[in-house]
Amino acid sequence: MSLRQDPSRIELVPGTLLRRYKRFLADVRLDDGREVVAHCPNTGSMRAVNVPGCRVWLSPSTNPARKLAWTWELIELPDGQGGIDWVSVHTGRANALVAAALRAGCVAPLAHFARLTPEVKVEGARLDFRLDLVSGDACYVEVKQVTLKERDDHGYFPDAVSERGRRHLDALATLAAAGQRSVLLFCVAHTGIQDVAPAAHLDPAYAARLREVAAQGVEVLAYGCELHQADGRPLGMRLARRLAVDLERRLPPSDD
């Protein structure tokens, strides 16, 4: 899946992150020396991802109605071994990545469906997808983007307290209790993350609730993204690999 609906019409522009502020804004120095303000399409804390001085990639817009002509798409983070991890900071891309993977049959546990319906209202919440399975049953899927890689080199969700995330867990649990198949799918948009755990050190209530709903029949899956590039330039991302989920992991104490 490309970073845009039509990749032939878009080329990401590189720069250096100066700062992210007011949640939705980021100052970036482009490689040509210009300093621009970009839209930051991520309302979370961006813990371990908001790293000034790192290389970032922006998508430009020619829409005159937009207040900001740039959108922050990706950041390159050092992997600690002399290489680079690519991270998508654009949370709005996660559902499109998952939808493309579902339609391509790349998510094996969810491969057999006849119809995919996005943005489905259920009691108490709106979930990302409903799959009408070929068996005649329905499956409800909620997608969460994961970008937090902590000091122990594992991936975690959420990156801050998430009451909305807990409401989605409640909705999935209600469906499971009624005999409906329900799935929480972590879309891991960080190429350096190899597995996912609930972030009990940041949101213990979410972690506890996730363990509860998993025991009640909610399926928990994680799939990682890979980035396609040419000559160091990003061309697109796709869901490519299933990752392990460890519901019991606790972040080890800091050595500080």
Side-chain angles (χ1 to χ4, degrees), residues 20 23 41-47 91 159-160:
R20 180 240 190 173
R23 295 175 66 194
N42 189 318
T43 60
S45 75
M46 296 183 66
R47 178 184 172 97
T91 56
D159 64 2

Side-chain angles (χ1 to χ4, degrees), residues 123-204:
E123 185 175 352
R126 182 190 297 269
L127 300 178
D128 289 317
F129 298 110
R130 171 184 163 131
L131 305 180
D132 291 306
L133 307 179
V134 293
S135 64
D137 297 325
C139 175
Y140 294 86
V141 181
E142 175 63 20
V143 176
K144 296 299 182 188
Q145 178 169 294
V146 179
T147 60
L148 174 57
K149 181 182 178 183
E150 283 285 25
R151 59 183 180 273
D152 62 352
D153 289 332
H154 294 292
Y156 291 89
F157 182 88
D159 64 2
V161 173
S162 179
E163 294 183 4
R164 182 170 180 267
R166 291 200 296 277
R167 289 197 299 271
H168 286 142
L169 293 180
D170 292 342
L172 292 171
T174 298
L175 290 166
Q180 298 279 3
R181 189 177 178 194
S182 59
V183 177
L184 176 67
L185 196 158
F186 290 121
C187 175
V188 181
H190 186 309
T191 61
I193 291 177
Q194 305 303 322
D195 53 30
V196 179
H201 59 301
L202 299 176
D203 191 345

Side-chain angles (χ1 to χ4, degrees), residues 224-235:
C225 294
E226 68 176 20
L227 185 126
H228 297 282
Q229 55 180 304
D231 300 322
R233 301 189 67 88
L235 301 179

Side-chain angles (χ1 to χ4, degrees), residues 25-238:
L25 302 176
D27 289 342
V28 175
R29 181 182 295 114
L30 302 181
D31 281 7
D32 64 11
R34 288 179 293 162
E35 291 190 9
V36 301
V37 180
H39 172 59
C40 177
N42 189 318
T43 60
S45 75
M46 296 183 66
R47 178 184 172 97
V49 176
N50 175 23
V51 185
C54 284
R55 190 168 180 80
V56 296
W57 294 82
L58 309 182
S59 59
S61 172
T62 57
N63 183 351
R66 281 192 50 159
K67 293 182 179 180
L68 298 174
W70 301 92
T71 298
W72 182 8
E73 298 281 353
L74 299 166
I75 187 167
E76 300 179 29
L77 298 175
D79 66 1
Q81 301 176 7
I84 291 295
D85 289 332
W86 292 84
V87 186
S88 170
V89 303
H90 196 320
T91 56
R93 304 288 183 217
N95 280 16
L97 285 167
V98 170
L102 288 170
R103 291 190 174 103
C106 297
V107 182
L110 303 175
H112 304 293
F113 65 91
R115 183 174 64 179
L116 182 154
T117 304
E119 296 292 321
V120 178
K121 290 183 178 180
V122 299
E123 185 175 352
R126 182 190 297 269
L127 300 178
D128 289 317
F129 298 110
R130 171 184 163 131
L131 305 180
D132 291 306
L133 307 179
V134 293
S135 64
D137 297 325
C139 175
Y140 294 86
V141 181
E142 175 63 20
V143 176
K144 296 299 182 188
Q145 178 169 294
V146 179
T147 60
L148 174 57
K149 181 182 178 183
E150 283 285 25
R151 59 183 180 273
D152 62 352
D153 289 332
H154 294 292
Y156 291 89
F157 182 88
D159 64 2
V161 173
S162 179
E163 294 183 4
R164 182 170 180 267
R166 291 200 296 277
R167 289 197 299 271
H168 286 142
L169 293 180
D170 292 342
L172 292 171
T174 298
L175 290 166
Q180 298 279 3
R181 189 177 178 194
S182 59
V183 177
L184 176 67
L185 196 158
F186 290 121
C187 175
V188 181
H190 186 309
T191 61
I193 291 177
Q194 305 303 322
D195 53 30
V196 179
H201 59 301
L202 299 176
D203 191 345
Y206 182 90
R209 186 60 178 141
L210 178 54
R211 289 191 289 271
E212 289 173 355
V213 303
Q216 295 165 4
V218 175
E219 299 174 48
V220 184
L221 304 175
Y223 277 77
C225 294
E226 68 176 20
L227 185 126
H228 297 282
Q229 55 180 304
D231 300 322
R233 301 189 67 88
L235 301 179
M237 268 187 153
R238 70 182 182 94

